[in-house]
């Protein structure tokens, strides 16, 4: 994903005029305007629970547990579908199976996209 110059300028302006002064006010960072330098402030420890990788691992565990359950449900649906649709044509059974697994795949892709976006945001900071 390429960030345009306009997007970069907008973020830079927002940081410089709003976020950095506000975080300095709160003591989360120390900002030296003359040198245009930022350092971790004394109140930064209050943000640790929100930045912790342990919390992220816990969130991932919950997401992947949910997806594992979705997988089991999808397998059960396919198994029951084959039994119920045994009178249906093989084309209908294949279509049914593909739809169930497509939904499951989209769920995985959605979670992977969220993780990738989170990684991108963290690496940009």
């Amino acid at each position: 994903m390429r960030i345009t110059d306009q997007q970069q300028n907008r973020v830079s302006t927002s940081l410089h005029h709003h976020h950095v002064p506000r975080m300095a006010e709160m003591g989360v960072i120390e900002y030296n305007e003359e040198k245009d330098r930022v350092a971790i402030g004394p109140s930064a420890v209050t943000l640790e629970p929100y930045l912790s990788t342990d919390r992220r691992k816990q969130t991932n565990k919950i997401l992947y547990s949910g997806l594992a359950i979705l997988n089991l449900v999808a397998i059960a649906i396919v198994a029951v579908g084959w039994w119920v649709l045994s009178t249906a044509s093989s084309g209908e059974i294949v279509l049914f199976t593909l739809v169930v697994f497509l939904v499951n795949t989209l769920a995985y892709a959605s979670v992977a996209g969220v993780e990738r976006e989170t990684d991108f945001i963290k690496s940009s900071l």
Side-chain angles (χ1 to χ4, degrees):
M1 177 178 175
R2 174 84 175 108
I3 297 173
T4 66
D5 290 339
Q6 182 182 12
Q7 290 170 321
Q8 185 175 355
N9 288 338
R10 190 173 30 220
V11 170
S12 178
T13 301
S14 178
L15 282 170
H16 184 74
H17 292 289
H18 180 71
H19 299 292
V20 169
R22 187 118 188 252
M23 288 189 290
E25 214 175 85
M26 295 169 58
V28 174
I29 62 168
E30 293 175 353
Y31 178 52
N32 183 332
E33 282 188 65
E34 292 173 9
K35 295 182 180 182
D36 200 28
R37 299 276 185 231
V38 176
I40 295 174
S43 299
V45 293
T46 60
L47 299 176
E48 181 59 33
Y50 303 103
L51 302 174
S52 172
T53 56
D54 292 337
R55 182 182 175 123
R56 183 171 174 203
K57 286 178 185 174
Q58 181 65 24
T59 301
N60 288 350
K61 185 178 179 181
I62 292 168
L63 286 172
Y64 285 115
S65 295
L67 289 173
I69 291 169
L70 181 63
N71 247 346
L72 292 173
V73 169
I75 290 168
I77 288 171
V78 169
V80 169
W82 275 341
W83 179 67
V84 170
L85 295 174
S86 60
T87 59
S89 70
S90 60
E92 291 171 327
I93 294 173
V94 168
L95 180 62
F96 174 76
T97 305
L98 287 175
V99 168
V100 169
F101 283 106
L102 177 64
V103 168
N104 205 11
T105 302
L106 290 174
Y108 273 107
S110 158
V111 170
V114 168
E115 281 187 357
R116 190 177 63 217
E117 185 175 312
T118 304
D119 288 339
F120 173 75
I121 290 169
K122 284 183 115 178
S123 68
S124 298
L125 298 176

